[in-house]
Amino acid sequence: MNTEKDFSPLTPNIVRALNDKLYEKRKVAALEIEKLFHLSASSQSSVRLVREFVAQNNSAQIRHVIQILATEFALSQHPHSRKGGLIGLAACSIALGKDSGLYLKELIDPVLTCFNDSDSRLRYYACEALYNIVKVARGAVLPHFNVLFDGLSKLAADPDPNVKSGSELLDRLLKDIVTESNKFDLVAFVPLLRERIYSNNQYARQFIISWIHVLESVPDINLLDYLPEFLDGLFQILGDSSKEIRRMCEVVLGEFLKEIKKNPSSVKFAEMANILVIHCQVSDESKSTNDLIQLTSMTWMREFIQLAGRVVLPYSSGILTAVLPCLSYDDRKKSTKEAASACNHSLMKLVTPEDDEDDEESQTKSSPPGDGTPSKKEGDLNDSLNESQESVGFSNISFFTPASSDRSAVTLDLDGIVQVLDRHLHDSSTGMMTCIAVLKWLYHLYIKTPRKMFKHTDSLFPMLLKTLSDESDEVILKDLEVLAEIASSPAGQTDTSGSCDSSDSKTELHIPGGVTGVQPVVVGSKVTDLSPSTPSMNSYFYKFMINLLKRFSLERKLLEMRGAFIIRQLCLLLHAENIFHSMADILLKEEDLKFASTMVQTLNTILLTSAELFQLRNQLKDLRTQESCALFCCLYRSWCHNPVATVSLCFLTQNYRHAYDLIQKFGDLEVTVDFLMEVDKLVQLIESPIFTYLRLQLLDVEHNPYLIKALYGLLMLLPQSQVFQLLSHRLSCVPNPELMRTVEDPKAPVKDKRLPQPHIDYSELLQHFDRVQSKHLEVRHQRAGRSEHPDRKL
């Protein structure tokens, strides 16, 4: 260093001591500087000098001394000079006392520069010097808080333990000052916090978390207003490998969540929703720590949905993306699964019928015609939102009601939700509980927002049909509920045909009655009036039936394993007569005759045995109405694909003479082992509770001769077997008609107990049976000529 420079008022002895390599000499120089500014009262000359500086307002002289210590010493290339400069600057601050606040920038900047020095000892001295400067200035350092914080955040990650220890002392001092003061500039600090919070260094993260915890605890500092600025960083720190840091971060997040619950009206829910959505989704790396992030963010999401209410609806697709996969977690993630389930349930209840309204309709309802005042419109919006929140069932939850200016922007992201739900349906890896939740969502949306949902039906429909092949019965049940709602919702009524069969645009689907004057539904034209006793079927109903049968045709295993289960459930969800009438109508045009026969056999078994079909069986038993007769004729024409099923239908409807006529024609059919097995099953059904009335009618021989003939006909078809013996024994119990005559009034005319039936052309039905069976015979012969394994003949 050039000692010829003018360092006045620093004496040459002070300058030499500051440059000395020995700490003791530099300390002596610092004391001399301190005396120069008259901190020590023992020197009368120093007192006079300071008084003279003050009297003359000679701050320039003070700045000159600080500048010399900074530029010529603290920022010198020589390490000992830098150390001397640091201790000299600290001495200046101590000497100036409360007046040091006027010179803080000149005092602090050179010290902070030394924080980056490669010499750990020098970094320690810089930390020590800054501690003395801050200790003297106290609250006056707050305008310089950001630079101090920035420097401390670097020292917190310093590899030298002495430097780190010194920085911790300085850190505690600064925290005390901030806690005591009410002049902390939070607005200026938040950008720096947002930048530093993404540090990957554990010590830096620990430093950041400790400061957030301190600031959050100060009553005069409202850190919650700025939480969206650094919430993402907090969740990233929550994934740190250090257990201590994770614990600190959990405490801080817990404190913020408590404050959010206490003051929901001041929380910026919308700005933090996407942050939570991101962290609710677990990545593959660091699985254990990410589980904690996911659980915490899911817990926050649950509280947000309950507190914010409809404010989160625009983010619903993102929320579902994060929540739905968690519903399939096992017990190892039970807490996350429960939180996700609560989120899903709460979010679903936020969707109300008002979300089905168009924007124009919503505006019309919220503001009366001719009223253009904003206050009136906002007031109506307030009322409508309050009503919607009361209707979703959160009676015990206090919702955050957004400012009126924000309410008009709260809209359901229906397109996004449907896209997420459809994506989960298409994903083969989707868990069972997730799949069930997806189907519940679709059902809920079709109930609450049917008009808007039907815009998506064409894209959803194929996947809903495919889901019927799922392995879970519960999934299939929910899927059928959605399909049934689609098929019966009034919102699905269209002017165009829902049928996939373009060749028949006037196919009549007769609606069941019991009520006179019932009109048929004509598929392909506008829907007419329907019976008030049955649900209305829209244009998607017939399309559903066609595609369901097509799926059964392509997946025979589905028909064999789940066909009866699916049809029975549909009979509960829709009306049994609608199901059977439409399927019979479609099967009448089926080109695959073998499938048609198998499908008729399945439908017939369901009709005769299922408890769900009790009402329909009673309707067909007596054929008392024109509608029941029309239904019988419709079923009969398709049942002709299976001769034994046709006979059983005649037994059910008590058309015993026609059953006898059909059995007479069995001699012209090709009798196979499968055919005889069906006869076997029919005989066993006759012995079941379903046909109790038929067996009792055997007592009335005079009025039921064709019933006995038909049963004898079946007996003659059967080979000598156990079932043959069963039916033979039943017929042997038929009483002698002479013994059954009543003695009291032998001349009384014989009366038919059944009501007269509407006209049914049985001869035409027999001709139809012959035509259908001729087609079957022709197809079997063609198949036998092509196959090495023809049908087994008896």
Side-chain angles (χ1 to χ4, degrees), residues 324-572:
L324 288 174
C326 301
L327 300 178
S328 294
Y329 284 171
D330 55 25
D331 288 341
R332 289 174 294 180
K333 293 184 177 181
K334 185 177 180 181
S335 299
T336 304
K337 180 180 179 179
E338 290 175 350
S341 180
C343 288
N344 183 61
H345 184 70
S346 300
L347 186 64
M348 187 180 294
K349 286 197 171 185
L350 295 180
V351 181
T352 61
E354 71 179 29
D355 293 308
D356 203 29
E357 299 174 358
D358 296 330
D359 295 338
E360 294 80 5
E361 294 179 359
S362 300
Q363 292 175 2
T364 303
K365 288 187 177 183
S366 62
S367 179
D371 185 4
T373 59
S375 59
K376 177 67 175 177
K377 181 176 180 180
E378 291 171 1
D380 290 338
L381 281 170
N382 293 348
D383 295 338
S384 65
L385 271 177
N386 290 333
E387 290 173 4
S388 69
Q389 290 174 354
E390 292 172 0
S391 67
V392 298
F394 286 117
S395 57
N396 297 325
I397 298 175
S398 62
F399 280 87
F400 162 56
T401 305
S404 58
S405 60
D406 297 334
R407 292 187 178 182
S408 59
V410 178
T411 55
L412 177 68
D413 180 20
L414 186 62
D415 293 346
I417 291 176
V418 172
Q419 185 178 3
V420 171
L421 299 177
D422 189 45
R423 186 168 65 246
H424 277 91
L425 280 181
H426 278 83
D427 188 356
S428 59
S429 64
T430 299
M432 182 189 73
M433 297 307 298
T434 299
C435 193
I436 291 172
V438 168
L439 294 169
K440 284 183 178 179
W441 260 103
L442 289 173
Y443 181 78
H444 185 73
L445 292 174
Y446 272 109
I447 293 293
K448 299 297 183 181
T449 60
R451 288 197 308 165
K452 291 183 178 179
M453 275 303 295
F454 267 93
K455 298 175 183 178
H456 301 278
T457 300
D458 288 337
S459 61
L460 291 170
F461 200 72
M463 198 59 216
L464 289 172
L465 285 170
K466 186 177 180 181
T467 306
L468 291 174
S469 301
D470 195 272
E471 297 178 355
S472 167
D473 286 349
E474 195 171 351
V475 170
I476 294 176
L477 281 173
K478 293 300 176 185
D479 191 32
L480 289 172
E481 287 182 10
V482 178
L483 288 166
E485 181 59 30
I486 292 174
S488 60
S489 174
Q493 303 285 11
T494 60
D495 293 339
T496 58
S497 174
S499 172
C500 294
D501 187 358
S502 59
S503 63
D504 185 7
S505 61
K506 295 290 181 181
T507 303
E508 291 190 356
L509 292 183
H510 295 275
I511 299 301
V515 180
T516 59
V518 174
Q519 299 295 327
V521 176
V522 180
V523 179
S525 62
K526 291 185 178 179
V527 179
T528 59
D529 294 336
L530 301 174
S531 168
S533 64
T534 61
S536 61
M537 298 296 112
N538 59 38
S539 56
Y540 280 96
F541 173 76
Y542 203 71
K543 179 180 180 180
F544 176 29
M545 294 296 105
I546 290 175
N547 283 275
L548 179 60
L549 290 175
K550 187 181 296 184
R551 192 153 197 90
F552 284 151
S553 176
L554 296 174
E555 294 186 37
R556 297 300 173 88
K557 186 177 180 181
L558 175 64
L559 175 58
E560 179 184 348
M561 303 298 294
R562 299 288 182 82
F565 171 73
I566 290 173
I567 294 170
R568 289 201 317 270
Q569 294 304 319
L570 284 176
C571 289
L572 290 174

Side-chain angles (χ1 to χ4, degrees), residues 127 136 143 172 251 253 323 336 387 476 501 615 634 675 683 723:
C127 190
V136 173
R172 284 198 293 270
V251 171
L253 286 169
V323 165
T336 304
E387 290 173 4
I476 294 176
D501 187 358
Q615 185 177 355
C634 178
F675 177 87
V683 172
V723 175

Side-chain angles (χ1 to χ4, degrees), residues 19-20 35 39 73 83 100 128 146 157 253 273 332-333 364 369 371 415 422 516 646 690 747 771 778:
N19 286 296
D20 200 282
K35 290 178 180 179
L39 184 68
F73 291 91
K83 295 173 184 177
S100 63
E128 184 182 49
N146 277 15
L253 286 169
R332 289 174 294 180
K333 293 184 177 181
T364 303
D371 185 4
D415 293 346
D422 189 45
T516 59
T646 312
I690 297 294
K747 296 181 180 181
R771 290 193 298 270
E778 180 182 351

